Amino acid sequence: TDNHLCASISTMWKVGQLADYVSMGGCPVTLGGTYGSKCDGVPETCYPYRVDLGAHWELKTTEMGVLYEGNRTSGTGNDLIANNDDEYAVTPYCRPDDDDANAADDWSGAWLHTSPDSSDGGSYVFEMRRPLTTESVISDVQLYAGETYDFGFAYWDPYENEETGWSKAGHYVTGQSKDWISLTLEEPEEAKEISCSRVFTEPTLDGDLSDWEDVEGAVIMLTGANGGLPYPGGYSSIKCTYDNNNIYFAFEVPGKYRFNTTDNHLCASIGTMWKVGQLADYVNMGGCPVTLGGT
């Protein structure tokens, strides 16, 4: 019945250039709880202090071991079911739900305690996920492979006060309460060679990759041939096997589903490419200068 008597956590991502780590932004206008128990809005003077609070989770309406999905079409960061809110903050006292035109509740998660029936301690376990990129570019940090972000975790202890639980500014933070942690999304090492293993049982070509699980694959980055821009869906994977008669490929590309029975251009499409001519260019599918540009 009381979130303050339950553990609570949140990820913290630096958005504003002046955002302080320990004070969740540290905007001097709102420090000290001058907005009282509720912050109805963030003044423009505090925008440089913004922090993206992803998955600020208050647990009283939830159960252990249950996955609570976010709602990417909600129009707000407020999670009405699990209270796993997508928020932004300029201080611990001023942390509204995401409320811009493209706001959504983008976080999903599950939690448990390893020893809930014991007085000997145990540990809280939280597992969470969020899409790398979201529609809310104002309130949410956009995440890309190879980039580094100022990051941290906040934890509210339900035993901060034996009777009333945690307080808004009573959170614990990572980084020894001094500064942001640098979090880098490592770029997968892209394959320049693909090993094609020999098999004695041919895979079933049905779109189910379970019979490819024991085949070592390669991570590849798709790049636009007409401009060099990376494919926005992220990294793809390719696997290859062969037997006495055939070669087999499994190619997995992340992306939103689209299918149209009357127009191939509104469906995904792939093609294998094999160099035949000595001068064949890879990016331009041969690159013969006579026909480049569609002349």
Side-chain angles (χ1 to χ4, degrees):
T1 60
D2 189 342
N3 277 318
H4 294 258
L5 299 180
C6 308
S8 179
I9 64 160
S10 180
T11 63
M12 297 169 57
W13 308 81
K14 184 177 181 180
V15 177
Q17 187 176 4
L18 300 179
D20 173 69
Y21 178 52
V22 177
S23 298
M24 284 189 179
C27 180
V29 175
T30 60
L31 269 175
T34 54
Y35 273 71
S37 60
K38 185 178 180 181
C39 176
D40 293 320
V42 175
E44 288 190 18
T45 53
C46 286
Y47 284 2
Y49 297 86
R50 283 179 302 146
V51 173
D52 175 11
L53 294 186
H56 178 213
W57 205 353
E58 300 179 4
L59 301 178
K60 75 175 186 179
T61 62
T62 64
E63 297 179 14
M64 287 195 296
V66 176
L67 172 61
Y68 292 91
E69 296 282 2
N71 185 344
R72 303 199 68 193
T73 61
S74 63
T76 175
N78 186 23
D79 182 347
L80 297 175
I81 298 174
N83 212 14
N84 188 6
D85 294 342
D86 212 339
E87 302 174 348
Y88 64 103
V90 293
T91 72
Y93 304 99
C94 191
R95 39 179 179 79
D97 298 319
D98 285 3
D99 54 9
D100 60 90
N102 295 313
D105 172 26
D106 291 299
W107 287 85
S108 303
W111 72 277
L112 61 78
H113 192 276
T114 58
S115 187
D117 299 320
S118 171
S119 60
D120 298 331
S123 299
Y124 283 98
V125 177
F126 296 89
E127 292 182 296
M128 299 175 294
R129 72 163 182 262
R130 195 210 84 172
L132 292 175
T133 58
T134 72
E135 298 294 328
S136 181
V137 297
I138 296 175
S139 301
D140 292 338
V141 167
Q142 305 301 303
L143 305 174
Y144 300 96
E147 299 295 323
T148 299
Y149 302 88
D150 288 325
F151 170 79
F153 262 106
Y155 174 73
W156 287 264
D157 180 11
Y159 286 102
E160 178 191 339
N161 182 287
E162 189 71 29
E163 293 184 1
T164 60
W166 54 263
S167 62
K168 289 178 181 291
H171 59 290
Y172 294 84
V173 289
T174 46
Q176 297 182 333
S177 296
K178 293 181 179 180
D179 207 349
W180 299 95
I181 296 172
S182 293
L183 184 149
T184 300
L185 273 63
E186 292 186 357
E187 292 239 35
E189 185 175 347
E190 188 177 4
K192 295 180 175 61
E193 274 188 19
I194 298 173
S195 296
C196 199
S197 57
R198 185 181 178 117
V199 294
F200 298 95
T201 302
E202 66 178 78
T204 301
L205 304 186
D206 57 2
D208 181 356
L209 298 184
S210 58
D211 50 354
W212 291 80
E213 289 180 353
D214 296 330
V215 178
E216 184 177 353
V219 175
I220 55 175
M221 180 175 68
L222 298 176
T223 306
N226 58 355
L229 295 176
Y231 172 63
Y235 284 81
S236 304
S237 66
I238 186 170
K239 295 184 176 184
C240 177
T241 62
Y242 73 99
D243 58 22
N244 290 339
N245 300 305
N246 299 299
I247 189 168
Y248 308 91
F249 289 99
F251 191 30
E252 186 171 8
V253 184
K256 187 185 298 185
Y257 178 73
R258 192 180 198 184
F259 186 81
N260 188 288
T261 59
T262 61
D263 190 342
N264 278 319
H265 295 261
L266 299 179
C267 307
S269 179
I270 65 164
T272 62
M273 296 167 58
W274 308 80
K275 183 175 181 178
V276 177
Q278 187 177 2
L279 301 179
D281 172 68
Y282 177 55
V283 177
N284 293 310
M285 286 190 178
C288 179
V290 176
T291 59
L292 269 177
T295 56

